[in-house]
Amino acid sequence: MRKIACCILVFFFFSKKVIAQTAERSILSLDGRWHYIVDPYNTGDRARFYLDKQQNSKTQLLEYDFEKSPTLSVPGDWNSQDDKLLFYEGPVWYEKKFEAAPKEGKKYFVQFEAVNYKADVYVNGAPVGSHTGGFTPFEFEVTGFLVNGSNSIVVKADNTRKKENVPTEDFDWWNYGGITRNVMLEERPATFISDFNIQLSKGDLNSATGSIQLTGNRLQQEITIQILEANLQVKIKTDSSGKASFIFPVKNITYWTPENPQLYTVTASADSDAIRDRIGFRTIQTEGQNMLLNGKSIFLRGVCLHEENPSIPGRPRNIDEYRLLLLKAKEMHCNFVRLAHYPHSAYVSKLADEMGLLLWEEVPVYWSINWENQSAFENAKQQLTELIRRDHNRASVIIWSVGNETSTNDAREKFMEGLADLARHRDSTRLISAALLGHFDSAKVFHLNDPLSNKLDVVSFNEYAGWYFSSPDSISTYTFNITTSKPVIVTEFGGDALAGFHTDSATRFSEEFQEKIYKEQLGIISNIDGLRGIAPWILFDFRSPKRINPTYQQYWNRKGLISETGQKKKAYYVLKGFYEIIEKKYKSN
Ligand code: GCB
């Protein structure tokens, strides 16, 4: 197998460029061109496309042929790579050949950073696993399936929207399908480190806590954890299940902050395996209605993001395209980004660690999930678990969000409270929230009566005064009655504007209309008791099949502060000005 140097914390895999060597593992990238067959009638299972047959005689009846089929780039959604597939939803079969030389005593895993929505994976014709959920990483062991020489991998990616899916059938973003993120084949030792997490203990700047898990047949080993630049070394022993938890004192650490995003190289070495990652150390907690980063009060100057940017149609495909998204947030003086409404690429949290941005990460429990359906609940839990496991060492991530704008009812409470419990159980050090739904009453007072708030650390909500309610002129007459003793974040407000459409501020879809919404909203929101941050909707215009106005939208949600071609709208400057003032205020405190 071709060796690519690797520096990995298990389940974090970045582009070849940023990977550094450890002796124990090697990674073969399976990115590149993959053959594809569009299968609108779902023929491939019966016709056994996964056998990847070639035409080898004149008489053979073969009604598919990957080798003669066109190719798509992986990573990448199919919608933006083939005009015919812009609106396509359904199964698409992918195929790629790769060379391997499997070694005795090693284990091999094929890893996907995300496939939207369902993936059935075959290696050399054999099924190796299926995964459901479009935005989180997964892997299958393929040790016994690889052969020396040429191998074939076939993936059936199916983005059919279904009632029992998470998200369900109705959502306000493009249902980009396919193998949207990186694919790799990893060689590991027979006993390997399958999980490792370390961070400062909850509310304690002087101790680090975490755990490590070995998988394989030599489960009891000594592990050395090292943070060389901080002069720290600790030895621990795993138990008969391969697990060890630890807590140890730390000193001389420069704490991670958005202004100084200090990262340390952390290694965990067992006899048989070693991993390495760049990790920042910070605490996050609430105290009454205050939010404290490293014990100091913080205000979140945020913005929402979808995983789309003006440099490329569709999903970003490499780290630089993701960097652009975060750079634009930083330029606007943000210290916080809400990654809506699903887990974004692992590049984003890694970059946010490096660039100094705090993150809100969310699972696609959006609008009206099939709350009574046990398999939907299991799937939501699985997506949340995969996300936390992927990002539990990212200092940038301070909030796990268990969903967005879901109406209250008993089954929904049970479902979402279950997710909040799960997040807390898996990670006691971060805050838990959800973007809740409230309402304005006839006296223009906003109320939030959501029992889920009791399970959350931060009470967050979306409101659209000036867009879905009334017009910008009357926003100043709206008020908020949020009765909570917890910190509050306004996780969405805004309105559509077509970049370049200028007229008066009473005309919908004009930049002036949107600008006025922002000016007025910032006025009323600033009066909310316990307000600790805002994340207006949204940094960039994004594709949505629900936004069909032929003059202004044309399948784009136009609530971006920047257009899909990179043009900044007037409201952008309003928000930027507001953030500059807040930033100065917090610096001088
Ligand atoms: C919302 C949703 C968001 C939509 C936005 C809109 O409340 O959370 O996903 O895109 O409103 O534009 O209506």
Side-chain angles (χ1 to χ4, degrees), residues 380-398:
K381 284 198 293 188
Q382 176 206 308
Q383 295 191 43
L384 182 60
T385 305
E386 288 166 342
L387 172 63
I388 295 176
R389 193 179 171 109
R390 191 194 75 182
D391 277 359
H392 54 191
N393 285 321
R394 303 279 71 88
S396 51
V397 180
I398 53 165

PDB file of all heavy atoms in Angstrom, residues 380-398:
ATOM      1  N   ALA A 380     -30.606   9.578  15.228  1.00  0.00           N
ATOM      2  CA  ALA A 380     -30.189  10.898  15.731  1.00  0.00           C
ATOM      3  C   ALA A 380     -29.109  10.719  16.803  1.00  0.00           C
ATOM      4  O   ALA A 380     -28.115  11.451  16.833  1.00  0.00           O
ATOM      5  CB  ALA A 380     -31.391  11.648  16.297  1.00  0.00           C
ATOM      6  N   LYS A 381     -29.285   9.723  17.663  1.00  0.00           N
ATOM      7  CA  LYS A 381     -28.289   9.471  18.713  1.00  0.00           C
ATOM      8  C   LYS A 381     -26.950   9.078  18.086  1.00  0.00           C
ATOM      9  O   LYS A 381     -25.897   9.505  18.521  1.00  0.00           O
ATOM     10  CB  LYS A 381     -28.776   8.355  19.648  1.00  0.00           C
ATOM     11  CG  LYS A 381     -29.849   8.836  20.618  1.00  0.00           C
ATOM     12  CD  LYS A 381     -30.012   7.898  21.809  1.00  0.00           C
ATOM     13  CE  LYS A 381     -30.559   6.566  21.385  1.00  0.00           C
ATOM     14  NZ  LYS A 381     -30.910   5.674  22.483  1.00  0.00           N
ATOM     15  N   GLN A 382     -27.064   8.253  17.050  1.00  0.00           N
ATOM     16  CA  GLN A 382     -25.829   7.808  16.385  1.00  0.00           C
ATOM     17  C   GLN A 382     -25.083   9.002  15.762  1.00  0.00           C
ATOM     18  O   GLN A 382     -23.863   9.138  15.909  1.00  0.00           O
ATOM     19  CB  GLN A 382     -26.197   6.794  15.306  1.00  0.00           C
ATOM     20  CG  GLN A 382     -25.026   6.320  14.472  1.00  0.00           C
ATOM     21  CD  GLN A 382     -25.485   5.869  13.097  1.00  0.00           C
ATOM     22  OE1 GLN A 382     -26.397   5.053  12.989  1.00  0.00           O
ATOM     23  NE2 GLN A 382     -24.888   6.420  12.061  1.00  0.00           N
ATOM     24  N   GLN A 383     -25.821   9.882  15.106  1.00  0.00           N
ATOM     25  CA  GLN A 383     -25.169  11.042  14.476  1.00  0.00           C
ATOM     26  C   GLN A 383     -24.517  11.936  15.524  1.00  0.00           C
ATOM     27  O   GLN A 383     -23.403  12.442  15.335  1.00  0.00           O
ATOM     28  CB  GLN A 383     -26.179  11.832  13.641  1.00  0.00           C
ATOM     29  CG  GLN A 383     -26.716  11.046  12.445  1.00  0.00           C
ATOM     30  CD  GLN A 383     -27.500  11.936  11.476  1.00  0.00           C
ATOM     31  OE1 GLN A 383     -27.107  13.047  11.159  1.00  0.00           O
ATOM     32  NE2 GLN A 383     -28.621  11.438  10.976  1.00  0.00           N
ATOM     33  N   LEU A 384     -25.217  12.118  16.653  1.00  0.00           N
ATOM     34  CA  LEU A 384     -24.672  12.953  17.728  1.00  0.00           C
ATOM     35  C   LEU A 384     -23.415  12.304  18.319  1.00  0.00           C
ATOM     36  O   LEU A 384     -22.405  12.966  18.567  1.00  0.00           O
ATOM     37  CB  LEU A 384     -25.757  13.143  18.799  1.00  0.00           C
ATOM     38  CG  LEU A 384     -25.411  14.020  19.991  1.00  0.00           C
ATOM     39  CD1 LEU A 384     -25.063  15.440  19.570  1.00  0.00           C
ATOM     40  CD2 LEU A 384     -26.575  14.064  20.989  1.00  0.00           C
ATOM     41  N   THR A 385     -23.476  11.001  18.508  1.00  0.00           N
ATOM     42  CA  THR A 385     -22.320  10.280  19.059  1.00  0.00           C
ATOM     43  C   THR A 385     -21.119  10.397  18.114  1.00  0.00           C
ATOM     44  O   THR A 385     -19.987  10.650  18.539  1.00  0.00           O
ATOM     45  CB  THR A 385     -22.681   8.787  19.256  1.00  0.00           C
ATOM     46  OG1 THR A 385     -23.847   8.724  20.064  1.00  0.00           O
ATOM     47  CG2 THR A 385     -21.565   8.015  19.904  1.00  0.00           C
ATOM     48  N   GLU A 386     -21.382  10.204  16.823  1.00  0.00           N
ATOM     49  CA  GLU A 386     -20.281  10.281  15.850  1.00  0.00           C
ATOM     50  C   GLU A 386     -19.672  11.685  15.819  1.00  0.00           C
ATOM     51  O   GLU A 386     -18.460  11.848  15.679  1.00  0.00           O
ATOM     52  CB  GLU A 386     -20.790   9.888  14.455  1.00  0.00           C
ATOM     53  CG  GLU A 386     -21.073   8.397  14.336  1.00  0.00           C
ATOM     54  CD  GLU A 386     -21.898   8.001  13.106  1.00  0.00           C
ATOM     55  OE1 GLU A 386     -22.552   8.875  12.492  1.00  0.00           O
ATOM     56  OE2 GLU A 386     -21.910   6.808  12.769  1.00  0.00           O
ATOM     57  N   LEU A 387     -20.515  12.686  15.960  1.00  0.00           N
ATOM     58  CA  LEU A 387     -20.009  14.066  15.946  1.00  0.00           C
ATOM     59  C   LEU A 387     -19.159  14.344  17.185  1.00  0.00           C
ATOM     60  O   LEU A 387     -18.048  14.883  17.086  1.00  0.00           O
ATOM     61  CB  LEU A 387     -21.192  15.044  15.879  1.00  0.00           C
ATOM     62  CG  LEU A 387     -20.832  16.517  16.053  1.00  0.00           C
ATOM     63  CD1 LEU A 387     -19.918  16.998  14.928  1.00  0.00           C
ATOM     64  CD2 LEU A 387     -22.086  17.390  16.108  1.00  0.00           C
ATOM     65  N   ILE A 388     -19.661  13.950  18.336  1.00  0.00           N
ATOM     66  CA  ILE A 388     -18.921  14.229  19.580  1.00  0.00           C
ATOM     67  C   ILE A 388     -17.601  13.471  19.579  1.00  0.00           C
ATOM     68  O   ILE A 388     -16.549  14.006  19.921  1.00  0.00           O
ATOM     69  CB  ILE A 388     -19.778  13.868  20.820  1.00  0.00           C
ATOM     70  CG1 ILE A 388     -20.997  14.798  20.884  1.00  0.00           C
ATOM     71  CG2 ILE A 388     -18.951  13.948  22.096  1.00  0.00           C
ATOM     72  CD1 ILE A 388     -21.974  14.491  22.011  1.00  0.00           C
ATOM     73  N   ARG A 389     -17.663  12.246  19.118  1.00  0.00           N
ATOM     74  CA  ARG A 389     -16.450  11.431  19.075  1.00  0.00           C
ATOM     75  C   ARG A 389     -15.418  12.042  18.117  1.00  0.00           C
ATOM     76  O   ARG A 389     -14.222  12.023  18.370  1.00  0.00           O
ATOM     77  CB  ARG A 389     -16.850  10.045  18.585  1.00  0.00           C
ATOM     78  CG  ARG A 389     -15.809   9.005  18.763  1.00  0.00           C
ATOM     79  CD  ARG A 389     -16.402   7.712  18.234  1.00  0.00           C
ATOM     80  NE  ARG A 389     -15.394   6.716  18.187  1.00  0.00           N
ATOM     81  CZ  ARG A 389     -15.354   5.667  19.006  1.00  0.00           C
ATOM     82  NH1 ARG A 389     -16.278   5.501  19.904  1.00  0.00           N
ATOM     83  NH2 ARG A 389     -14.385   4.794  18.897  1.00  0.00           N
ATOM     84  N   ARG A 390     -15.904  12.608  17.035  1.00  0.00           N
ATOM     85  CA  ARG A 390     -14.991  13.224  16.068  1.00  0.00           C
ATOM     86  C   ARG A 390     -14.348  14.489  16.630  1.00  0.00           C
ATOM     87  O   ARG A 390     -13.170  14.752  16.407  1.00  0.00           O
ATOM     88  CB  ARG A 390     -15.773  13.570  14.787  1.00  0.00           C
ATOM     89  CG  ARG A 390     -14.906  13.962  13.620  1.00  0.00           C
ATOM     90  CD  ARG A 390     -15.708  14.615  12.499  1.00  0.00           C
ATOM     91  NE  ARG A 390     -16.088  15.972  12.845  1.00  0.00           N
ATOM     92  CZ  ARG A 390     -16.826  16.765  12.085  1.00  0.00           C
ATOM     93  NH1 ARG A 390     -17.276  16.344  10.917  1.00  0.00           N
ATOM     94  NH2 ARG A 390     -17.129  17.995  12.468  1.00  0.00           N
ATOM     95  N   ASP A 391     -15.134  15.284  17.371  1.00  0.00           N
ATOM     96  CA  ASP A 391     -14.661  16.633  17.718  1.00  0.00           C
ATOM     97  C   ASP A 391     -14.427  16.869  19.204  1.00  0.00           C
ATOM     98  O   ASP A 391     -14.286  18.006  19.624  1.00  0.00           O
ATOM     99  CB  ASP A 391     -15.667  17.675  17.189  1.00  0.00           C
ATOM    100  CG  ASP A 391     -15.415  17.973  15.719  1.00  0.00           C
ATOM    101  OD1 ASP A 391     -14.471  17.387  15.140  1.00  0.00           O
ATOM    102  OD2 ASP A 391     -16.144  18.791  15.145  1.00  0.00           O
ATOM    103  N   HIS A 392     -14.341  15.807  19.987  1.00  0.00           N
ATOM    104  CA  HIS A 392     -14.225  16.057  21.428  1.00  0.00           C
ATOM    105  C   HIS A 392     -12.879  16.624  21.842  1.00  0.00           C
ATOM    106  O   HIS A 392     -12.720  17.043  22.982  1.00  0.00           O
ATOM    107  CB  HIS A 392     -14.614  14.825  22.268  1.00  0.00           C
ATOM    108  CG  HIS A 392     -13.895  13.567  21.920  1.00  0.00           C
ATOM    109  ND1 HIS A 392     -14.278  12.355  22.407  1.00  0.00           N
ATOM    110  CD2 HIS A 392     -12.823  13.329  21.135  1.00  0.00           C
ATOM    111  CE1 HIS A 392     -13.469  11.423  21.928  1.00  0.00           C
ATOM    112  NE2 HIS A 392     -12.588  12.005  21.169  1.00  0.00           N
ATOM    113  N   ASN A 393     -11.920  16.665  20.941  1.00  0.00           N
ATOM    114  CA  ASN A 393     -10.653  17.324  21.281  1.00  0.00           C
ATOM    115  C   ASN A 393     -10.509  18.700  20.652  1.00  0.00           C
ATOM    116  O   ASN A 393      -9.414  19.265  20.661  1.00  0.00           O
ATOM    117  CB  ASN A 393      -9.481  16.441  20.861  1.00  0.00           C
ATOM    118  CG  ASN A 393      -9.326  15.277  21.810  1.00  0.00           C
ATOM    119  OD1 ASN A 393      -9.488  15.434  23.015  1.00  0.00           O
ATOM    120  ND2 ASN A 393      -9.065  14.109  21.273  1.00  0.00           N
ATOM    121  N   ARG A 394     -11.554  19.231  20.097  1.00  0.00           N
ATOM    122  CA  ARG A 394     -11.461  20.537  19.449  1.00  0.00           C
ATOM    123  C   ARG A 394     -11.830  21.625  20.459  1.00  0.00           C
ATOM    124  O   ARG A 394     -12.976  21.707  20.916  1.00  0.00           O
ATOM    125  CB  ARG A 394     -12.394  20.622  18.222  1.00  0.00           C
ATOM    126  CG  ARG A 394     -12.133  19.533  17.160  1.00  0.00           C
ATOM    127  CD  ARG A 394     -10.952  19.882  16.245  1.00  0.00           C
ATOM    128  NE  ARG A 394      -9.668  19.807  16.853  1.00  0.00           N
ATOM    129  CZ  ARG A 394      -8.899  18.702  16.929  1.00  0.00           C
ATOM    130  NH1 ARG A 394      -9.284  17.557  16.419  1.00  0.00           N
ATOM    131  NH2 ARG A 394      -7.724  18.746  17.506  1.00  0.00           N
ATOM    132  N   ALA A 395     -10.849  22.478  20.776  1.00  0.00           N
ATOM    133  CA  ALA A 395     -11.090  23.557  21.744  1.00  0.00           C
ATOM    134  C   ALA A 395     -12.144  24.524  21.224  1.00  0.00           C
ATOM    135  O   ALA A 395     -12.888  25.135  21.991  1.00  0.00           O
ATOM    136  CB  ALA A 395      -9.782  24.308  21.984  1.00  0.00           C
ATOM    137  N   SER A 396     -12.197  24.667  19.916  1.00  0.00           N
ATOM    138  CA  SER A 396     -13.144  25.629  19.325  1.00  0.00           C
ATOM    139  C   SER A 396     -14.594  25.272  19.640  1.00  0.00           C
ATOM    140  O   SER A 396     -15.438  26.155  19.771  1.00  0.00           O
ATOM    141  CB  SER A 396     -12.948  25.682  17.804  1.00  0.00           C
ATOM    142  OG  SER A 396     -12.976  24.369  17.257  1.00  0.00           O
ATOM    143  N   VAL A 397     -14.886  23.988  19.745  1.00  0.00           N
ATOM    144  CA  VAL A 397     -16.279  23.574  19.915  1.00  0.00           C
ATOM    145  C   VAL A 397     -16.689  23.781  21.377  1.00  0.00           C
ATOM    146  O   VAL A 397     -16.158  23.134  22.278  1.00  0.00           O
ATOM    147  CB  VAL A 397     -16.477  22.092  19.529  1.00  0.00           C
ATOM    148  CG1 VAL A 397     -17.936  21.688  19.719  1.00  0.00           C
ATOM    149  CG2 VAL A 397     -16.037  21.859  18.095  1.00  0.00           C
ATOM    150  N   ILE A 398     -17.636  24.701  21.600  1.00  0.00           N
ATOM    151  CA  ILE A 398     -18.070  24.949  22.994  1.00  0.00           C
ATOM    152  C   ILE A 398     -19.511  24.528  23.217  1.00  0.00           C
ATOM    153  O   ILE A 398     -19.937  24.384  24.358  1.00  0.00           O
ATOM    154  CB  ILE A 398     -17.885  26.432  23.395  1.00  0.00           C
ATOM    155  CG1 ILE A 398     -18.567  27.377  22.387  1.00  0.00           C
ATOM    156  CG2 ILE A 398     -16.411  26.769  23.568  1.00  0.00           C
ATOM    157  CD1 ILE A 398     -18.720  28.797  22.902  1.00  0.00           C
TER     158      ILE A 398
END
